[in-house]
Amino acid sequence: AVADELGRQVHGLAVRLRPTALDDVGLAAALRQLISDWSARTRVPVDLEMVALEPERLPPEVETVLYRIAQEALTNIAKHAGASHVSVVVIRQDEAARVVVEDDGHGFDPERAGLGRLGLVGMRERVALLGGELDVESAIGSGTTIVAHLPLRREAGGADHAEIG
């Protein structure tokens, strides 16, 4: 019984690290489902815009971080923002990908929010591990905007860099 329970817990942790939906249906569909479920649960409408995510998929580690940033931002909005509307934009542009999550909630002081807030700390760490940047724009009474910018790296010497002359 203990081994079965441990197995279930390990499986749950693995799914939370890289949601199976990313592998099964890709980032765009996984985000649509995440946002649909979140909006139904919180009764807060969400505008979702995705630009240039298909037909070529992003690197798996980038997809995971983009998904997790959106997920954590939505979790924070549900817990703290009191928002009546949310916008999520995911863009692939040039050699970078970006997710922007914006709400019209209460806002907060970003200088003080990092203290004791594992959500923001976790977002910063995930983005930094891929060489990206996370910006948090907020002020009390004016909503919040989270912007994660991730470089799309390609291995040097790979076929993607071969030039045909």
Side-chain angles (χ1 to χ4, degrees):
V2 171
D4 287 341
E5 178 59 24
L6 286 174
R8 281 191 289 280
Q9 289 179 5
V10 168
H11 177 73
L13 289 171
V15 167
R16 285 194 296 270
L17 288 173
R18 173 142 173 102
T20 56
L22 290 176
D23 292 326
D24 296 344
V25 297
L27 179 61
L31 282 172
R32 276 191 217 82
Q33 188 61 55
L34 170 70
I35 288 167
S36 174
D37 292 348
W38 184 88
S39 187
R41 188 173 59 255
T42 62
R43 295 192 172 123
V44 175
V46 180
D47 290 330
L48 173 62
E49 182 178 354
M50 294 180 279
V51 179
L53 294 186
E54 297 172 342
E56 182 183 330
R57 291 196 51 184
L58 297 168
E61 64 276 7
V62 172
E63 285 188 343
T64 299
V65 171
L66 292 172
Y67 182 90
R68 290 296 184 206
I69 296 299
Q71 184 180 48
E72 185 60 38
L74 290 170
T75 297
N76 288 348
I77 291 166
K79 285 182 181 178
H80 308 292
S84 62
H85 190 268
V86 175
S87 171
V88 177
V89 179
V90 184
I91 301 169
R92 173 200 303 218
Q93 186 175 24
D94 300 323
E95 290 299 313
R98 178 176 297 130
V99 61
V100 180
V101 182
E102 188 170 35
D103 71 68
D104 65 353
H106 305 306
F108 62 93
D109 179 355
E111 297 297 318
R112 301 187 68 192
L115 306 172
R117 299 283 178 134
L118 292 178
L120 286 174
V121 170
M123 283 191 265
R124 288 191 192 286
E125 288 176 355
R126 285 181 187 275
V127 170
L129 284 172
L130 295 184
E133 297 176 10
L134 183 81
D135 295 316
V136 178
E137 300 170 12
S138 188
I140 295 174
S142 67
T144 301
T145 302
I146 304 283
V147 181
H149 179 84
L150 300 170
L152 299 178
R153 296 195 177 121
R154 297 175 190 241
E155 292 183 33
D160 291 335
H161 291 289
E163 291 187 17
I164 299 173

